[in-house]
Amino acid sequence: MARIQKRQFGQALIEAKLISDKQLAEALDQQQREGETLGFTLLKMNLLSESQLMKFLTDQLGFEYANLQNYVSEPGIIRLVPQNIAVKYQVVPLLKVKTTLTVAMVDPLDNFVMDMLRESTNCEIKPLISTWSEIRNAIELAYKDRMVEGEDGIGDESSIRQIAKSVSEKGHNDFVDLAHV
């Protein structure tokens, strides 16, 4: 799977003529101040549209796009990822075939989330990319009648912290995390 370093992501956007050097510098400053992702910051600053960002990630980095506009969730699959995790990390489980869980996510480069999902579900994770708005809508529909706590899957906040600690000890801090950049 494609892994891209932080500086390379911004540089690749410049090389694709989607943003300028000055726009990247401004976005990085704002992203640093607000603690949001670089991708989200670029969207919020209206420097990129969701479709431009999705096209870049699919064309340049080879990720498949998941159109979630008409997606209907399957309760057994949704239970693999609790609502609080889905919302926090913008991820929606879509399909499980044998030991592979396919998920739609805003940031398929987020190694922390990928490792957390892999470890907590005991599945290989196949990431697909989708827009923030599609994922947000899919989460609302999928979890509208479910409780945040007490579900099958990753579990409560303390087990999430334990998984997070285990994943961070593996050292994935040197790669881009659109969700943490």
Side-chain angles (χ1 to χ4, degrees), residues 11 51 63 68 74-76 83 102 108 122 155 161:
Q11 215 39 51
S51 62
F63 289 103
L68 300 178
E74 193 176 310
Q83 181 179 7
T102 301
N122 292 317
R161 277 193 224 104

Side-chain angles (χ1 to χ4, degrees), residues 74 76-77 80 95-102 121-126:
E74 193 176 310
I77 300 301
L80 293 171
L95 174 71
K96 184 177 178 194
V97 177
K98 295 184 181 179
T99 61
T100 301
L101 178 63
T102 301
T121 64
N122 292 317
C123 292
E124 284 303 311
I125 305 299
K126 179 182 178 185

Side-chain angles (χ1 to χ4, degrees), residues 77-120:
I77 300 301
I78 291 299
R79 277 191 213 101
L80 293 171
V81 179
Q83 181 179 7
N84 58 336
I85 297 303
V87 169
K88 183 173 183 173
Y89 297 109
Q90 296 296 288
V91 60
V92 177
L94 302 175
L95 174 71
K96 184 177 178 194
V97 177
K98 295 184 181 179
T99 61
T100 301
L101 178 63
T102 301
V103 298
M105 52 194 309
V106 169
D107 179 10
L109 298 172
D110 190 332
N111 295 316
F112 174 80
V113 174
M114 294 288 290
D115 287 345
M116 182 176 59
L117 290 170
R118 190 177 298 112
E119 193 168 313
S120 65

Side-chain angles (χ1 to χ4, degrees), residues 3-92:
R3 287 188 172 190
I4 186 169
Q5 292 180 329
K6 292 178 184 181
R7 200 164 268 308
Q8 291 176 338
F9 176 65
Q11 215 39 51
L13 289 169
I14 291 168
E15 289 168 12
K17 299 189 185 328
L18 292 172
I19 61 172
S20 69
D21 287 319
K22 182 180 177 191
Q23 289 171 323
L24 176 61
E26 290 170 0
L28 287 171
D29 285 344
Q30 181 171 328
Q31 177 262 327
Q32 198 95 46
R33 281 191 312 272
E34 297 182 11
E36 296 171 332
T37 71
L38 178 57
F40 185 73
T41 301
L42 290 166
L43 293 173
K44 198 165 120 177
M45 293 175 69
N46 293 317
L47 297 176
L48 285 179
S49 68
E50 281 190 329
S51 62
Q52 285 175 311
L53 184 58
M54 291 304 108
K55 183 168 176 31
F56 173 79
L57 290 171
T58 56
D59 292 351
Q60 299 296 318
L61 302 180
F63 289 103
E64 294 178 49
Y65 170 72
N67 181 343
L68 300 178
Q69 290 178 357
N70 298 313
Y71 175 70
V72 178
S73 61
E74 193 176 310
I77 300 301
I78 291 299
R79 277 191 213 101
L80 293 171
V81 179
Q83 181 179 7
N84 58 336
I85 297 303
V87 169
K88 183 173 183 173
Y89 297 109
Q90 296 296 288
V91 60
V92 177

Side-chain angles (χ1 to χ4, degrees), residues 116 120 153-165:
M116 182 176 59
S120 65
I154 293 173
D156 63 18
E157 198 66 32
S158 64
S159 64
I160 293 164
R161 277 193 224 104
Q162 187 174 7
I163 292 168
K165 181 180 178 198

